[in-house]
Structure formats: structure tokens, C-alpha cells
């Protein structure tokens, strides 16, 4: 089953959006397979966003991610990477549809509340980086009520 890496950024934590964000993924029917609150080092944030290191906003992005604790999660389910991105909404909250997390709870691109992997391959890389011990091994007993 597909897995994605979701991270509630420091602004989402400070603004009390942890419960609301978890709720959206949980109610959709996805399964939580890893969860931790963590303050990351600069070098770790740089590694997570390594693909963006040449961008002019890279330093500000890293400063933002290390500015407070984040909530790191693994979510599992059919098409969870793509569907997770839909739940999150467009990178720039100004372009994010109402009903998405960024559309409902954010205004500026540099305070867009949440991260979600953009492809199955990046999800695998990000899960390995943030959860070196891997996901929690459990199966939801409501599985047959969500999948046919
Ligand atoms: P996403 O988080 O939607 O996957 P991304 O991977 O392209 O977007 O960029 C990572 C983060 O970097 C994004 O959530 C916010 C920030 N960012 C992206 N483009 C930006 C820009 N043009 N100006 C400022 N910050 C930007
Ligand atoms: Mg991205």
C-alpha cells in the first residue's frame, strides 16, 4: 500500500492546526503509520529540501522549518501521495482552492502550514529520512469498510 510523508510546519503547530490537519487525513480513510513532534537542525532541514537548494527562497525556507517544532507523519492508503497533495492544495495559498488545507488556513507561500510528498519516489526518500526506523506496523480494522 502506498505511503506519503506529511509534515505540519512550525506555523501550523503554533496556530493550533495539528488536530484539524490530522482529522482531514483520518476522516478521508487514510491510515496513520508514523507520528512524531520534532525540532529539526538546520542541516536536516537542508537535506529535506535539498532539491530546492539553488532557489532564492531556500535560506528563508530552511529558517522557517527550523523556527519551531514540526509534526512529522507517515500516512498510508490507495493513491495517498496524489490525494494527499489534493487535500493540501496548491503551493501558494493564494492559488489554493477553498476546502484544501492551504486554501482554508494560509495566506502567504512562505507560511503555507504543511508539507506533503510530491511523488511516490520522493515519499520513500522523505520517509527514510524522517523515520529511519520505518513505519509503525499495524493494520486498521476498518479497512474493509473503506476499500471494496
Ligand atoms: P510544495 O510544498 O507544494 O511541494 P515546493 O516543493 O515547490 O512546494 O516548495 C517547497 C516549499 O518552498 C513550499 O511549500 C514553499 C516554499 N516555496 C516554494 N516556491 C516558493 C517561492 N516561489 N517563493 C517562496 N517560497 C517558495
Ligand atoms: Mg515539494
Amino acid at each position: 500500500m502506498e505511503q506519503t510523508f506529511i509534515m505540519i510546519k512550525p506555523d501550523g503547530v503554533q496556530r493550533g492546526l495539528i488536530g484539524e490537519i490530522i482529522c482531514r487525513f483520518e476522516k478521508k480513510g487514510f491510515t496513520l503509520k508514523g507520528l512524531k513532534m520534532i525540532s529539526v537542525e538546520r542541516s536536516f532541514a537542508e537535506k529535506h529540501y535539498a532539491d530546492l537548494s539553488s532557489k532564492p527562497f531556500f535560506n528563508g525556507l530552511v529558517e522557517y522549518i527550523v523556527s519551531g517544532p514540526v509534526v512529522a507523519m507517515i500516512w498510508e492508503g490507495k493513491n495517498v501521495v496524489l490525494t494527499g497533495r489534493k487535500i493540501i492544495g496548491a503551493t501558494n495559498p493564494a492559488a489554493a482552492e477553498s476546502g484544501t488545507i492551504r486554501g482554508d488556513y494560509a495566506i502567504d507561500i512562505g507560511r503555507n502550514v504543511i508539507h506533503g510528498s510530491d511523488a511516490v519516489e520522493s515519499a520513500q526518500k522523505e520517509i527514510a529520512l524522517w523515520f529511519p526506523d520505518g513505519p509503525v506496523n499495524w493494520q486498521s480494522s476498518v479497512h474493509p469498510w473503506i476499500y471494496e
Side-chain angles (χ1 to χ4, degrees), residues 4-148:
T4 193
F5 172 69
I6 300 292
M7 181 211 358
I8 305 171
K9 295 176 177 176
D11 51 338
V13 172
Q14 291 287 351
R15 293 176 54 203
L17 296 173
I18 298 169
E20 174 63 33
I21 289 169
I22 290 177
C23 199
R24 290 186 179 209
F25 283 84
E26 204 172 32
K27 281 185 177 163
K28 173 71 176 169
F30 293 134
T31 309
L32 186 61
K33 289 285 175 105
L35 172 71
K36 64 181 175 187
M37 185 180 227
I38 177 177
S39 294
V40 299
E41 304 276 346
R42 217 192 147 80
S43 58
F44 188 93
E46 285 169 356
K47 211 169 183 181
H48 171 74
Y49 280 124
D51 291 351
L52 300 174
S53 60
S54 63
K55 301 283 185 189
F57 57 84
F58 182 70
N59 273 335
L61 177 60
V62 169
E63 284 298 329
Y64 165 43
I65 296 305
V66 302
S67 66
V70 300
V71 173
M73 294 175 278
I74 302 169
W75 284 94
E76 184 177 278
K78 189 193 273 183
N79 294 324
V80 69
V81 172
L82 188 62
T83 305
R85 294 284 294 190
K86 287 184 184 161
I87 290 170
I88 289 169
T91 302
N92 190 339
E97 298 288 344
S98 198
T100 66
I101 292 168
R102 287 166 174 168
D104 289 350
Y105 300 120
I107 293 175
D108 274 350
I109 193 167
R111 297 289 184 272
N112 63 2
V113 171
I114 183 167
H115 165 85
S117 308
D118 61 8
V120 171
E121 199 190 7
S122 46
Q124 287 165 352
K125 271 169 64 179
E126 290 169 2
I127 289 168
L129 176 67
W130 288 81
F131 291 91
D133 295 335
V136 174
N137 183 22
W138 75 289
Q139 300 306 322
S140 166
S141 56
V142 300
H143 196 278
W145 297 105
I146 292 168
Y147 296 97
E148 60 179 4

